[in-house]
Amino acid sequence: MQPKRFMTLQRHILEGEKRHPEATGELSAILSNLILAVKVISLEVNKAGLIDILGYTGKENVHGEQVKKLDIFAHQTIIRAMDHGGHLCVMASEEEEDIIHIPKHHDIGKYVLLFDPLDGSSNIDANVSIGSIFSIYKRISSGGGPGTIEDALQKGAKQVVAGYVVYGSSTIFVYTAGDGTHAFTLDPAVGEFLLSHENIRTPERGSIYSTNEGNYKYWHRGFKEYIKFLQDADDRGAKPYSARYIGSMVADIHRNLLYGGIFIYPSDKRNPNGKLRLMYECNPMAFIVEQAGGKATTGKQRILDIIPNNLHQRVPIYIGSKEDVELVEQYLQKYEGQ
Ligand code: AHM
Ligand code: MG
């Protein structure tokens, strides 16, 4: 048997760009910088448990430097890796209220980067998987000067690349440039992300549901009935679904993408817009899942079609295997207003 050829993430991106004659190599350059940032974050995440053992106080490290919370560290690492590349005009992050301006003379690039530097950060201290999420758009403002809030507030369908990284039992980088969804696993010895899952196809229907059932009391009737249906013996002859909820969206969705299933952060009586953020959590995950054959909606509308009005706006999300998402939509519709 022919041995499988090595395909690094960088080579995959380059080869993808070569298929588009109009490509300038700028996207590859942006992604290279981002890959460097996530490698640095991955290293730091792996050291997180050593903070007390090695005598880091939580305020100062052994070099007398200020020790930052890991989510702030991740946020700053991405900015430091990205803001001098010359290909971006503006950025936005979960960790910053306003858009992030790029230093003068470097801010005239064609692209916009939105990111959640460390998602699921409540899991850090328990050594549970966490992740980073990113989304890239083409700028829409003309004039070639610094980017604007309008550049950052485009609908998800306009994304040119989206990706996430899971810092788990291994570090895995998943991305789409609109040509399928592909995953690369970091070989820590070589320091390269190597292709591990090409053109992922998520099952049409899964057998896992992922949602925070602690919020049951606030759920609307349609959602309660839907979850009850999954827990019952199924009229389609299948066994009840398994409940799996890590509390890190990236890790929950990654598992469901591979095995099939649905992840939900619903609208409920307390939070009509759910919890998760459209611009740097839901949109990129929706693009990735759709590119793998899945679906992502608010229960009423395709996530990628939402016209955003705020960098940090929240939306309910129902995302995963196509048939599972369509079924929950039917339940929500049937019991609408209850
Ligand atoms: P974060 O951005 O503050 O980490 O919050 C987002 C996370 C998601 O990863 C996860 O799905 C969700 O919050 C869990 O929320 P809850 O604890 O309400 O179930
Ligand atoms: Mg987050």
Short mmCIF file of all heavy atoms in Angstrom, two decimals, residues 30 78-92 96 98-115 139 145-148 151:
data_model
loop_
_atom_site.label_atom_id
_atom_site.label_comp_id
_atom_site.label_asym_id
_atom_site.label_seq_id
_atom_site.Cartn_x
_atom_site.Cartn_y
_atom_site.Cartn_z
N ILE A 30 -2.23 35.33 6.12
CA ILE A 30 -3.00 35.56 7.35
C ILE A 30 -3.07 34.26 8.17
O ILE A 30 -2.84 34.24 9.38
CB ILE A 30 -4.43 36.04 7.00
CG1 ILE A 30 -4.37 37.43 6.37
CG2 ILE A 30 -5.33 36.04 8.23
CD1 ILE A 30 -5.70 37.91 5.79
N ILE A 78 -2.96 36.44 19.82
CA ILE A 78 -3.50 36.54 18.45
C ILE A 78 -3.26 37.94 17.90
O ILE A 78 -2.81 38.10 16.76
CB ILE A 78 -5.00 36.14 18.43
CG1 ILE A 78 -5.12 34.64 18.77
CG2 ILE A 78 -5.62 36.45 17.06
CD1 ILE A 78 -6.54 34.10 18.85
N ILE A 79 -3.48 38.95 18.71
CA ILE A 79 -3.25 40.32 18.21
C ILE A 79 -1.78 40.51 17.83
O ILE A 79 -1.47 41.02 16.74
CB ILE A 79 -3.68 41.36 19.27
CG1 ILE A 79 -5.20 41.28 19.45
CG2 ILE A 79 -3.27 42.77 18.85
CD1 ILE A 79 -5.76 42.20 20.50
N ARG A 80 -0.90 40.06 18.70
CA ARG A 80 0.54 40.25 18.41
C ARG A 80 0.97 39.51 17.15
O ARG A 80 1.86 39.95 16.41
CB ARG A 80 1.38 39.74 19.59
CG ARG A 80 1.41 40.73 20.74
CD ARG A 80 2.06 40.12 21.96
NE ARG A 80 3.42 39.72 21.72
CZ ARG A 80 4.06 38.76 22.42
NH1 ARG A 80 3.43 38.11 23.37
NH2 ARG A 80 5.30 38.45 22.15
N ALA A 81 0.34 38.35 16.90
CA ALA A 81 0.72 37.58 15.70
C ALA A 81 0.12 38.17 14.42
O ALA A 81 0.61 37.94 13.33
CB ALA A 81 0.28 36.13 15.86
N MET A 82 -0.98 38.92 14.59
CA MET A 82 -1.75 39.30 13.41
C MET A 82 -1.63 40.76 12.98
O MET A 82 -1.89 41.09 11.83
CB MET A 82 -3.25 39.02 13.63
CG MET A 82 -3.60 37.61 14.02
SD MET A 82 -2.96 36.34 12.93
CE MET A 82 -3.71 36.76 11.37
N ASP A 83 -1.29 41.66 13.91
CA ASP A 83 -1.54 43.07 13.58
C ASP A 83 -0.43 43.74 12.77
O ASP A 83 -0.56 44.91 12.42
CB ASP A 83 -1.91 43.87 14.84
CG ASP A 83 -0.75 44.14 15.75
OD1 ASP A 83 0.35 43.61 15.50
OD2 ASP A 83 -0.94 44.87 16.73
N HIS A 84 0.65 43.02 12.46
CA HIS A 84 1.70 43.63 11.64
C HIS A 84 1.86 42.92 10.29
O HIS A 84 2.83 43.16 9.58
CB HIS A 84 3.04 43.65 12.38
CG HIS A 84 3.11 44.73 13.41
ND1 HIS A 84 2.39 44.69 14.59
CD2 HIS A 84 3.77 45.91 13.42
CE1 HIS A 84 2.62 45.79 15.27
NE2 HIS A 84 3.45 46.56 14.59
N GLY A 85 0.91 42.05 9.97
CA GLY A 85 1.05 41.27 8.73
C GLY A 85 0.79 42.07 7.47
O GLY A 85 1.23 41.71 6.39
N GLY A 86 0.01 43.16 7.61
CA GLY A 86 -0.27 44.01 6.45
C GLY A 86 -1.45 43.55 5.61
O GLY A 86 -1.77 44.18 4.60
N HIS A 87 -2.10 42.45 6.00
CA HIS A 87 -3.21 41.96 5.19
C HIS A 87 -4.57 42.19 5.83
O HIS A 87 -5.60 41.89 5.25
CB HIS A 87 -3.03 40.47 4.90
CG HIS A 87 -1.72 40.15 4.28
ND1 HIS A 87 -1.37 40.64 3.04
CD2 HIS A 87 -0.66 39.44 4.73
CE1 HIS A 87 -0.15 40.22 2.75
NE2 HIS A 87 0.30 39.50 3.76
N LEU A 88 -4.58 42.70 7.05
CA LEU A 88 -5.84 42.97 7.74
C LEU A 88 -6.08 44.47 7.81
O LEU A 88 -5.13 45.26 7.79
CB LEU A 88 -5.79 42.41 9.18
CG LEU A 88 -5.65 40.89 9.33
CD1 LEU A 88 -5.48 40.51 10.80
CD2 LEU A 88 -6.87 40.17 8.74
N CYS A 89 -7.36 44.84 7.94
CA CYS A 89 -7.65 46.27 8.12
C CYS A 89 -8.28 46.52 9.49
O CYS A 89 -8.25 47.65 9.99
CB CYS A 89 -8.54 46.80 7.01
SG CYS A 89 -10.16 46.03 6.95
N VAL A 90 -8.83 45.47 10.10
CA VAL A 90 -9.44 45.63 11.41
C VAL A 90 -9.66 44.24 12.00
O VAL A 90 -9.74 43.24 11.26
CB VAL A 90 -10.77 46.43 11.31
CG1 VAL A 90 -11.87 45.62 10.63
CG2 VAL A 90 -11.24 46.96 12.65
N MET A 91 -9.75 44.18 13.35
CA MET A 91 -10.05 42.90 14.01
C MET A 91 -11.11 43.13 15.07
O MET A 91 -11.40 44.27 15.46
CB MET A 91 -8.80 42.34 14.72
CG MET A 91 -7.69 41.94 13.79
SD MET A 91 -6.34 41.10 14.66
CE MET A 91 -5.43 42.48 15.31
N ALA A 92 -11.69 42.04 15.57
CA ALA A 92 -12.58 42.13 16.73
C ALA A 92 -12.46 40.83 17.51
O ALA A 92 -12.20 39.77 16.92
CB ALA A 92 -14.03 42.35 16.29
N GLU A 96 -12.74 42.15 23.72
CA GLU A 96 -12.65 43.60 23.60
C GLU A 96 -13.96 44.19 23.09
O GLU A 96 -14.51 43.73 22.09
CB GLU A 96 -11.49 43.97 22.67
CG GLU A 96 -11.00 45.36 22.96
CD GLU A 96 -9.51 45.52 22.70
OE1 GLU A 96 -8.71 44.63 23.05
OE2 GLU A 96 -9.17 46.56 22.12
N ASP A 98 -14.82 47.12 21.67
CA ASP A 98 -14.86 47.76 20.35
C ASP A 98 -14.00 47.00 19.34
O ASP A 98 -13.26 46.10 19.72
CB ASP A 98 -14.34 49.20 20.46
CG ASP A 98 -15.29 50.04 21.29
OD1 ASP A 98 -16.51 49.82 21.18
OD2 ASP A 98 -14.80 50.86 22.09
N ILE A 99 -14.07 47.45 18.10
CA ILE A 99 -13.19 46.86 17.10
C ILE A 99 -11.73 47.15 17.49
O ILE A 99 -11.44 48.12 18.19
CB ILE A 99 -13.47 47.40 15.67
CG1 ILE A 99 -13.53 48.93 15.65
CG2 ILE A 99 -14.71 46.79 15.09
CD1 ILE A 99 -13.65 49.51 14.24
N ILE A 100 -10.85 46.29 17.04
CA ILE A 100 -9.43 46.45 17.37
C ILE A 100 -8.74 47.05 16.14
O ILE A 100 -8.74 46.44 15.06
CB ILE A 100 -8.79 45.08 17.70
CG1 ILE A 100 -9.55 44.43 18.87
CG2 ILE A 100 -7.31 45.22 18.02
CD1 ILE A 100 -9.24 42.96 19.06
N HIS A 101 -8.20 48.24 16.32
CA HIS A 101 -7.53 48.89 15.19
C HIS A 101 -6.15 48.30 14.99
O HIS A 101 -5.49 47.88 15.94
CB HIS A 101 -7.45 50.40 15.43
CG HIS A 101 -8.81 51.04 15.43
ND1 HIS A 101 -9.54 51.19 14.27
CD2 HIS A 101 -9.58 51.51 16.44
CE1 HIS A 101 -10.70 51.74 14.56
NE2 HIS A 101 -10.76 51.94 15.87
N ILE A 102 -5.74 48.29 13.75
CA ILE A 102 -4.42 47.77 13.38
C ILE A 102 -3.47 48.98 13.36
O ILE A 102 -3.88 50.06 12.93
CB ILE A 102 -4.49 47.15 11.97
CG1 ILE A 102 -5.67 46.17 11.86
CG2 ILE A 102 -3.19 46.56 11.53
CD1 ILE A 102 -5.42 44.77 12.19
N PRO A 103 -2.22 48.80 13.80
CA PRO A 103 -1.30 49.95 13.79
C PRO A 103 -1.19 50.60 12.41
O PRO A 103 -1.28 49.92 11.38
CB PRO A 103 0.04 49.34 14.21
CG PRO A 103 -0.30 48.07 14.88
CD PRO A 103 -1.60 47.59 14.33
N LYS A 104 -1.02 51.91 12.42
CA LYS A 104 -0.91 52.69 11.18
C LYS A 104 0.09 52.07 10.22
O LYS A 104 1.08 51.47 10.66
CB LYS A 104 -0.45 54.11 11.55
CG LYS A 104 -1.14 55.20 10.76
CD LYS A 104 -0.75 56.57 11.29
CE LYS A 104 -1.11 57.68 10.36
NZ LYS A 104 -2.38 57.61 9.68
N HIS A 105 -0.19 52.20 8.94
CA HIS A 105 0.60 51.66 7.84
C HIS A 105 0.44 50.15 7.67
O HIS A 105 0.81 49.59 6.65
CB HIS A 105 2.10 51.99 7.95
CG HIS A 105 2.37 53.45 8.14
ND1 HIS A 105 1.89 54.40 7.26
CD2 HIS A 105 3.02 54.13 9.12
CE1 HIS A 105 2.24 55.60 7.69
NE2 HIS A 105 2.92 55.46 8.83
N HIS A 106 -0.07 49.46 8.71
CA HIS A 106 -0.31 48.01 8.56
C HIS A 106 -1.79 47.75 8.38
O HIS A 106 -2.21 46.61 8.26
CB HIS A 106 0.18 47.27 9.81
CG HIS A 106 1.64 47.40 10.06
ND1 HIS A 106 2.58 46.67 9.38
CD2 HIS A 106 2.32 48.21 10.91
CE1 HIS A 106 3.79 47.01 9.79
NE2 HIS A 106 3.66 47.95 10.73
N ASP A 107 -2.59 48.83 8.42
CA ASP A 107 -4.05 48.68 8.52
C ASP A 107 -4.76 48.80 7.19
O ASP A 107 -5.95 49.08 7.14
CB ASP A 107 -4.60 49.74 9.49
CG ASP A 107 -4.25 51.16 9.06
OD1 ASP A 107 -3.52 51.31 8.05
OD2 ASP A 107 -4.71 52.10 9.71
N ILE A 108 -4.04 48.61 6.10
CA ILE A 108 -4.66 48.85 4.79
C ILE A 108 -4.95 47.54 4.05
O ILE A 108 -5.16 47.53 2.84
CB ILE A 108 -3.76 49.77 3.93
CG1 ILE A 108 -2.35 49.20 3.89
CG2 ILE A 108 -3.77 51.19 4.48
CD1 ILE A 108 -1.43 49.91 2.95
N GLY A 109 -4.93 46.45 4.79
CA GLY A 109 -5.14 45.14 4.16
C GLY A 109 -6.57 44.96 3.69
O GLY A 109 -7.46 45.76 3.98
N LYS A 110 -6.78 43.86 2.97
CA LYS A 110 -8.09 43.59 2.35
C LYS A 110 -9.02 42.78 3.25
O LYS A 110 -10.16 42.55 2.91
CB LYS A 110 -7.86 42.77 1.08
CG LYS A 110 -7.37 43.58 -0.09
CD LYS A 110 -7.73 42.91 -1.42
CE LYS A 110 -7.33 41.46 -1.55
NZ LYS A 110 -6.45 41.15 -2.66
N TYR A 111 -8.49 42.31 4.39
CA TYR A 111 -9.27 41.34 5.16
C TYR A 111 -9.56 41.80 6.60
O TYR A 111 -8.91 42.71 7.12
CB TYR A 111 -8.54 39.99 5.19
CG TYR A 111 -8.53 39.34 3.83
CD1 TYR A 111 -7.45 39.49 2.96
CD2 TYR A 111 -9.62 38.59 3.40
CE1 TYR A 111 -7.44 38.92 1.70
CE2 TYR A 111 -9.63 38.01 2.13
CZ TYR A 111 -8.54 38.16 1.30
OH TYR A 111 -8.56 37.59 0.06
N VAL A 112 -10.56 41.13 7.19
CA VAL A 112 -11.04 41.43 8.53
C VAL A 112 -10.98 40.12 9.33
O VAL A 112 -11.36 39.08 8.81
CB VAL A 112 -12.53 41.87 8.45
CG1 VAL A 112 -13.10 42.17 9.82
CG2 VAL A 112 -12.69 43.04 7.49
N LEU A 113 -10.52 40.19 10.58
CA LEU A 113 -10.44 38.98 11.41
C LEU A 113 -11.26 39.15 12.67
O LEU A 113 -11.09 40.13 13.41
CB LEU A 113 -8.97 38.71 11.79
CG LEU A 113 -8.75 37.56 12.78
CD1 LEU A 113 -9.04 36.21 12.12
CD2 LEU A 113 -7.31 37.57 13.32
N LEU A 114 -12.15 38.21 12.92
CA LEU A 114 -12.93 38.19 14.16
C LEU A 114 -12.56 36.92 14.91
O LEU A 114 -12.41 35.86 14.27
CB LEU A 114 -14.43 38.15 13.83
CG LEU A 114 -15.16 39.47 13.61
CD1 LEU A 114 -14.51 40.30 12.54
CD2 LEU A 114 -16.61 39.22 13.24
N PHE A 115 -12.44 36.99 16.23
CA PHE A 115 -12.06 35.76 16.94
C PHE A 115 -12.55 35.72 18.38
O PHE A 115 -12.77 36.75 19.01
CB PHE A 115 -10.54 35.55 16.90
CG PHE A 115 -9.72 36.69 17.46
CD1 PHE A 115 -9.29 36.68 18.78
CD2 PHE A 115 -9.37 37.77 16.67
CE1 PHE A 115 -8.53 37.72 19.30
CE2 PHE A 115 -8.61 38.83 17.18
CZ PHE A 115 -8.20 38.80 18.49
N ARG A 139 -12.82 42.97 3.40
CA ARG A 139 -13.30 44.29 3.80
C ARG A 139 -14.33 44.80 2.79
O ARG A 139 -14.26 44.46 1.61
CB ARG A 139 -12.15 45.29 3.97
CG ARG A 139 -11.55 45.75 2.66
CD ARG A 139 -10.41 46.72 2.87
NE ARG A 139 -10.84 47.95 3.52
CZ ARG A 139 -10.01 48.82 4.09
NH1 ARG A 139 -8.71 48.58 4.12
NH2 ARG A 139 -10.46 49.91 4.63
N GLY A 145 -8.03 52.79 3.65
CA GLY A 145 -7.54 53.24 4.96
C GLY A 145 -7.83 52.19 6.01
O GLY A 145 -8.05 51.02 5.68
N PRO A 146 -7.86 52.58 7.28
CA PRO A 146 -8.17 51.62 8.34
C PRO A 146 -9.59 51.06 8.19
O PRO A 146 -10.47 51.74 7.66
CB PRO A 146 -8.04 52.44 9.63
CG PRO A 146 -7.80 53.85 9.24
CD PRO A 146 -7.56 53.92 7.77
N GLY A 147 -9.78 49.85 8.67
CA GLY A 147 -11.10 49.22 8.59
C GLY A 147 -12.07 49.86 9.57
O GLY A 147 -11.68 50.57 10.49
N THR A 148 -13.35 49.57 9.36
CA THR A 148 -14.40 50.19 10.17
C THR A 148 -15.27 49.11 10.81
O THR A 148 -15.14 47.93 10.49
CB THR A 148 -15.31 51.04 9.26
OG1 THR A 148 -15.95 50.13 8.33
CG2 THR A 148 -14.53 52.08 8.48
N ASP A 151 -17.00 46.90 8.37
CA ASP A 151 -16.22 45.77 7.86
C ASP A 151 -16.37 44.56 8.77
O ASP A 151 -16.38 43.42 8.32
CB ASP A 151 -14.73 46.16 7.77
CG ASP A 151 -14.47 47.19 6.69
OD1 ASP A 151 -15.00 47.01 5.58
OD2 ASP A 151 -13.75 48.18 6.96
#
